[in-house]
Amino acid sequence: MAKIAGIVILYNPDEEVVQNIQTYSSHINKLYIADNSKIPAIGNKYSDANFEYIHDSHNHGIAKRLNQVANLAIHEGFDFLLTMDQDSAFTDSDIEKYISCIDKISWDNVAMAGVNFEIKNPSPNPCSFIDTVELITSGSIVNLRLYKSIGGFDENLFIDEVDHDYCFSAIKSGYRIVKLENIHIQHKLGKVSFHKSLLNLKTTPRVLHSPIRLYYMTRNHLYICNKHKGYFKNELELKRNELLNRIKNNLLYGKHKFLTLRLIMKGIIDFKKKVMGNYLNN
């Protein structure tokens, strides 16, 4: 039976984080809690014999923490790594089905498997899956046997596009990415607020981001377009359109319009200068 480790990366989480962790921690062999908060976010709030807490008061982003824990897990003999966001959770039935499906996948050329964060009508077979081009980090399972041949997660990205870049690199290396469509994860995509459209005056929900987050989104989108130039044309075009829509919403409805515009421009300039990694170190 496969040995499964897990990682959840924390950054100043809210009170629900422990409850989220408890929805999956007992279903895997070991959980690594990588805390990017300056002050320890968990303390003695979470107690389990089967976890390791990693904290050094520095924010190392997503990619570096994933690589750190992936290498620890490989050293300790684990086959797979379940990667989770702090605001994600499973229901009991979905995590049980998910873990039982792992041994039913032929992993020889599958680099990563993931789940669905959209609500769809389930089919009778929870383990049925489709090939896909990209998955989100949260709820995905990394095949550690193929991890090093793919090259790990790209630490130039810090946050944003880390997961999609890994999927693209895996496919370019000849491996598959699969999604179990009938297993679901509860995952927050961002802060939703309601605003009146300037075109038709209808009030609609919109996801807004902080100016620094839009810096990373802009810079990293340009980076992966350049890194994977000539591949994934449709996916990258779709990402471009999604990014432009996010920028439009934030400039129209966000509170920090001038700062947002300045950091978007800085993201473009930093990409051109090949300034990557943590914005605060630039």
Side-chain angles (χ1 to χ4, degrees):
M1 189 171 180
K3 290 184 65 180
I4 307 168
I7 175 176
V8 57
I9 300 174
L10 308 184
Y11 184 70
N12 300 331
D14 59 27
E15 294 291 325
E16 295 181 354
V17 66
V18 173
Q19 293 176 336
N20 292 339
I21 290 171
Q22 289 172 336
T23 66
Y24 54 84
S25 59
S26 63
H27 296 271
I28 57 179
N29 301 109
K30 181 174 182 176
L31 176 66
Y32 297 89
I33 300 175
D35 191 352
N36 278 330
S37 311
K38 188 173 182 62
I39 299 172
I42 290 287
N44 58 5
K45 296 178 184 177
Y46 178 74
S47 179
D48 191 297
N50 205 25
F51 83 101
E52 182 174 335
Y53 186 63
I54 302 170
H55 176 262
D56 60 8
S57 298
H58 294 288
N59 182 4
H60 296 286
I62 301 298
K64 187 171 183 177
R65 288 301 194 191
L66 288 171
N67 285 333
Q68 178 185 14
V69 169
N71 283 295
L72 283 172
I74 290 170
H75 180 73
E76 294 183 21
F78 289 100
D79 303 301
F80 302 102
L81 182 67
L82 171 67
T83 60
M84 296 294 296
D85 288 351
Q86 64 186 21
D87 57 0
S88 297
F90 283 100
T91 64
D92 287 341
S93 60
D94 276 313
I95 187 62
E96 288 170 3
K97 287 186 289 186
Y98 195 19
I99 298 301
S100 69
C101 289
I102 290 175
D103 288 325
K104 299 176 183 178
I105 296 174
S106 177
W107 287 95
D108 290 346
N109 69 335
V110 173
M112 184 186 286
V115 294
N116 207 330
F117 60 87
E118 300 171 326
I119 301 300
K120 291 187 177 181
N121 294 325
S123 77
N125 179 11
C127 296
S128 65
F129 59 82
I130 61 168
D131 282 86
T132 187
V133 175
E134 54 189 344
L135 296 169
I136 61 171
T137 301
S138 200
S140 291
I141 291 179
V142 177
N143 183 352
L144 294 176
R145 300 162 189 156
L146 303 180
Y147 163 83
K148 289 188 176 180
S149 65
I150 294 166
F153 294 90
D154 191 337
E155 296 181 14
N156 282 319
L157 295 169
F158 193 69
I159 62 170
D160 279 310
E161 300 296 352
V162 173
D163 41 12
H164 299 155
D165 172 73
Y166 186 84
C167 292
F168 292 163
S169 295
I171 292 171
K172 286 166 66 176
S173 298
Y175 302 124
R176 296 168 63 198
I177 305 295
V178 302
K179 180 193 286 187
L180 286 80
E181 288 197 298
N182 302 311
I183 297 175
H184 300 90
I185 189 171
Q186 299 165 4
H187 177 67
K188 297 177 183 177
L189 293 177
K191 184 178 180 181
V192 178
S193 55
F194 290 83
H195 301 271
K196 188 173 288 186
S197 171
L198 299 179
L199 292 177
N200 56 27
L201 301 182
K202 290 183 178 179
T203 300
T204 55
R206 299 175 189 272
V207 177
L208 300 182
H209 302 279
S210 68
I212 187 63
R213 188 70 187 273
L214 283 163
Y215 162 84
Y216 285 117
M217 288 180 174
T218 302
R219 186 197 68 181
N220 292 358
H221 171 72
L222 295 172
Y223 177 85
I224 66 166
C225 285
N226 183 64
K227 179 178 178 178
H228 301 291
K229 189 175 182 180
Y231 298 86
F232 314 110
K233 180 180 179 181
N234 292 337
E235 288 77 17
L236 291 173
E237 184 175 348
L238 179 61
K239 285 182 174 299
R240 174 182 173 273
N241 293 335
E242 289 174 346
L243 175 61
L244 291 174
N245 189 55
R246 287 192 176 101
I247 290 172
K248 178 200 73 174
N249 282 335
N250 280 268
L251 291 177
L252 288 177
Y253 306 108
K255 294 180 179 179
H256 308 287
K257 295 177 175 56
F258 292 108
L259 179 59
T260 295
L261 184 58
R262 184 169 70 83
L263 287 181
I264 288 169
M265 295 306 299
K266 181 168 174 54
I268 296 170
I269 292 167
D270 282 355
F271 161 72
K272 291 181 177 179
K273 290 182 176 179
K274 299 183 179 179
V275 175
M276 301 298 293
N278 187 349
Y279 167 80
L280 296 177
N281 294 337
N282 295 340

